[in-house]
Amino acid sequence: MKNGNNQRLPLFVDLDGTLIFSDLLVESSLKFLKQNPLGFIYLLVWLFHGKAYLKSQLALHVDLNIESLPYNDEFIAFLKEEKRQGRILYLATASIAKYADQIATHLGIFDGVIATSASSNLKGIAKLEKCREISPDFAYAGNEAIDFTIFEHAKQSYLVNPTAKALARNKVTPVDRVWLVEKNPVKVVLKGLRVHQWLKNLLIFVPLLVSGLYIDIQAIGYSIFGFLLFSLLASATYVLNDLSDLEADRLHPRKKNRPIPSGSWPLQNAIVTAIALFFLVIILSILLTPLNFQIAVLAYLFLTLAYTFYFKDYVIADVISLASLFTIRIIAGTMIINVELSFWLLAFSMFTFFSLALVKRCAELKLLSQMNKTKTSGRDYNVDDYNLMQSFGVTSAFVSLLIMSFYVQTSLHDGFYQTPILLWATLPAFAYWLCRMWLKTNRGEMHDDPIVFSIKDKGSVVTIAFIIFITLVAKF
């Protein structure tokens, strides 16, 4: 790696991890699996014939949205300036030629493309030989440790968005220039796991609250453990959902900035993390929780997978699935502390969360309307559906209030609460909160996730705190 006046040397640019913050082999595999949930059998058979064959078969079966890929804009700006000054640029990638050609056409800055074919995987030495065939003297830009095989023979070398191994290798054999993308890996992972949404799993504690066992140390311990298990499981499903929704999320004005669609969290790492969390939760559940709770965990996992790969694409079925996932958390809360599941609680939670799931969809439709779009990406909804969906959601909200009123009336006579008449004060509070959620949605002020909105919204926080306070006071 020699420095010097090499500005006019042909520059060969790597694609995966360098030009884009992603890996097209992983992307195409994920999309293939989404289209064919049992397609992993095909992937294994194709891989048996070699990586090049695997990539070529995926290219035959999968089309990617090239324009929405997470491009390295800072590095591309550098390439455009080099191109303006007359430098010859080649896209040199181990990705299959189909995608490489589409990307080169989209960017319009490359003079040529060398890429993997059905018979040859263009990586390492194979890529080096192709570069030398075109120009014995050349410059190269890559991001992985294996790229140092090429750097060693390049007259000029650029390390772009380097992996940890590449950075370590660079300390021993430094390149000419390094493009570092500033990011806190711990923060990226926590954001990708959506740790802030673990607050949804506080629903595990609802049965503890309404059963009066919130002063029982053992019951509290069980509920905390159940909360942790569901939080880890939920994070794994969030990762799975983001992997499944890559292209749709990249077209969304806010979701595109999440770690997985934006490429700040490598897809391979996200997949490994999700699998590890799934196994951890299942093992801990089997070893340390009662059978009923294990069934709730499996029900949550099964419904999540069904939602991700099937129900998500169907109107109403998706919001019923989301509402059911919230209700399963409450059911799990009863099972972890071994108390009877209340009909009132079950009915109230289902209608409440059905309303909130519709808030989520209506908020998305409102945003689409503001962006002058007519149809959701990856969802079977049109902007014209807003009014009908809103009517479903508001009706469901008031049904939940009606159920709550019946429960309060019943509580006046069952002796469970010392001062049950206080519970009537929770009804106008619930009404205020639900109406506030729908009012904010109608104004276009609702977050993508109504639960996250409730956590950040002062009015919602005060109202929910008031409801909990009244419930506790009524108990004693």
Side-chain angles (χ1 to χ4, degrees):
M1 289 161 288
K2 297 90 178 171
N3 224 330
N5 188 21
N6 296 313
Q7 293 301 316
R8 293 296 173 263
L9 287 174
L11 174 57
F12 291 83
V13 181
D14 181 40
L15 175 57
D16 298 318
T18 304
L19 192 69
I20 62 172
F21 296 119
S22 190
D23 186 302
L24 295 186
L25 174 58
V26 180
E27 293 232 359
S28 55
S29 297
L30 289 172
K31 189 166 184 179
F32 178 74
L33 289 174
K34 184 177 181 179
Q35 296 170 351
N36 310 274
L38 298 179
F40 66 90
I41 298 174
Y42 288 97
L43 295 181
L44 291 176
V45 172
W46 294 339
L47 182 59
F48 179 77
H49 291 88
K51 255 190 172 181
Y53 185 78
L54 169 64
K55 294 174 182 179
S56 66
Q57 288 300 309
L58 284 170
L60 290 175
H61 292 83
V62 175
D63 292 320
L64 298 177
N65 188 333
I66 298 302
E67 294 183 4
S68 68
L69 290 172
Y71 289 95
N72 188 339
D73 292 331
E74 181 183 351
F75 183 58
I76 290 175
F78 163 78
L79 293 178
K80 288 181 177 179
E81 178 59 24
E82 293 292 289
K83 179 68 175 177
R84 190 187 67 80
Q85 295 182 16
R87 192 167 200 174
I88 296 175
L89 303 178
Y90 287 92
L91 183 59
T93 175
S95 288
I96 198 69
K98 171 186 173 179
Y99 302 139
D101 289 337
Q102 291 173 349
I103 289 172
T105 299
H106 170 64
L107 292 177
I109 59 175
F110 292 104
D111 298 280
V113 176
I114 56 173
T116 289
S117 65
S119 59
S120 175
N121 189 41
L122 200 73
K123 199 172 184 70
I125 295 296
K127 185 187 289 189
L128 172 62
E129 291 175 352
K130 280 287 186 181
C131 293
R132 280 175 153 177
E133 286 178 13
I134 295 173
S135 176
D137 295 330
F138 64 91
Y140 181 75
N143 75 305
E144 294 186 273
I146 194 172
D147 288 320
F148 279 80
T149 301
I150 305 174
F151 287 150
E152 290 171 358
H153 300 273
K155 295 293 184 180
Q156 193 173 39
S157 50
Y158 303 119
L159 188 58
V160 185
N161 185 37
T163 63
K165 288 183 178 180
L167 273 179
R169 182 73 178 270
N170 185 58
K171 292 180 180 179
V172 179
T173 315
V175 299
D176 295 311
R177 182 174 175 182
V178 178
W179 267 272
L180 279 175
V181 178
E182 295 298 330
K183 58 184 178 182
N184 184 326
V186 175
K187 186 177 180 180
V188 167
V189 171
L190 292 179
K191 187 176 180 181
L193 295 176
R194 301 192 213 174
V195 173
H196 63 285
Q197 293 198 22
W198 284 13
L199 290 173
K200 294 179 181 179
N201 299 307
L202 291 174
L203 292 170
I204 293 283
F205 294 97
V206 170
L208 185 73
L209 176 66
V210 300
S211 66
L213 293 177
Y214 43 80
I215 57 175
D216 185 314
I217 299 301
Q218 187 178 46
I220 292 173
Y222 284 143
S223 294
I224 291 174
F225 187 62
F227 167 80
L228 292 175
L229 287 180
F230 257 81
S231 295
L232 294 175
L233 180 59
S235 285
T237 61
Y238 293 148
V239 172
L240 180 64
N241 188 64
D242 284 353
L243 291 169
S244 174
D245 277 353
L246 269 178
E247 290 188 352
D249 286 352
R250 285 172 181 160
L251 298 174
H252 193 280
R254 289 190 289 265
K255 293 180 181 180
K256 67 181 181 180
N257 297 318
R258 289 176 176 174
I260 291 176
S262 69
S264 58
W265 192 13
L267 297 178
Q268 302 93 316
N269 296 353
I271 292 170
V272 171
T273 300
I275 293 173
L277 288 178
F278 278 130
F279 277 105
L280 177 63
V281 170
I282 291 173
I283 292 172
L284 291 178
S285 297
I286 292 174
L287 295 177
L288 302 173
T289 66
L291 179 61
N292 286 344
F293 182 81
Q294 296 171 28
I295 293 174
V297 169
L298 289 177
Y300 183 92
L301 179 56
F302 174 79
L303 183 55
T304 298
L305 294 175
Y307 170 78
T308 300
F309 293 107
Y310 188 74
F311 293 137
K312 183 189 297 184
D313 297 328
Y314 293 90
V315 171
I316 302 300
D318 62 333
V319 289
I320 292 176
S321 299
L322 289 174
S324 299
L325 289 172
F326 281 107
T327 303
I328 288 175
R329 289 173 167 97
I330 294 178
I331 295 173
T334 66
M335 293 178 172
I336 196 72
I337 60 175
N338 195 28
V339 296
E340 184 180 352
L341 181 62
S342 164
F343 161 78
W344 298 111
L345 180 60
L346 188 61
F348 172 77
S349 65
M350 194 63 204
F351 280 101
T352 299
F353 292 119
F354 181 66
S355 179
L356 293 180
L358 285 165
V359 163
K360 179 181 177 69
R361 287 293 173 260
C362 285
E364 293 174 352
L365 292 177
K366 197 72 174 180
L367 180 61
L368 283 177
S369 178
Q370 294 170 349
M371 297 170 62
N372 296 318
K373 293 185 178 180
T374 59
K375 187 173 176 61
T376 55
S377 176
R379 302 280 191 275
D380 190 21
Y381 288 96
N382 296 316
V383 170
D384 291 340
D385 297 329
Y386 177 83
N387 289 334
L388 185 59
M389 300 291 287
Q390 183 187 50
S391 66
F392 290 159
V394 172
T395 300
S396 183
F398 280 96
V399 169
S400 70
L401 287 171
L402 184 61
I403 293 172
M404 181 66 180
S405 66
F406 288 154
Y407 170 73
V408 172
Q409 181 62 30
T410 303
S411 299
L412 295 175
H413 308 290
D414 63 11
F416 183 76
Y417 293 94
Q418 293 295 320
T419 318
I421 197 170
L422 290 177
L423 293 176
W424 285 110
T426 64
L427 288 175
F430 268 120
Y432 167 77
W433 178 59
L434 290 170
C435 290
R436 179 182 178 83
M437 299 292 281
W438 278 106
L439 181 64
K440 292 290 187 180
T441 302
N442 194 57
R443 290 178 176 176
E445 299 173 3
M446 177 56 61
H447 187 275
D448 298 326
D449 191 321
I451 302 299
V452 173
F453 173 85
S454 299
I455 295 167
K456 297 180 178 180
D457 177 56
K458 183 177 180 181
S460 297
V461 171
V462 171
T463 303
I464 294 172
F466 172 78
I467 292 170
I468 294 174
F469 173 75
I470 291 297
T471 303
L472 293 175
V473 171
K475 174 62 179 176
F476 298 102

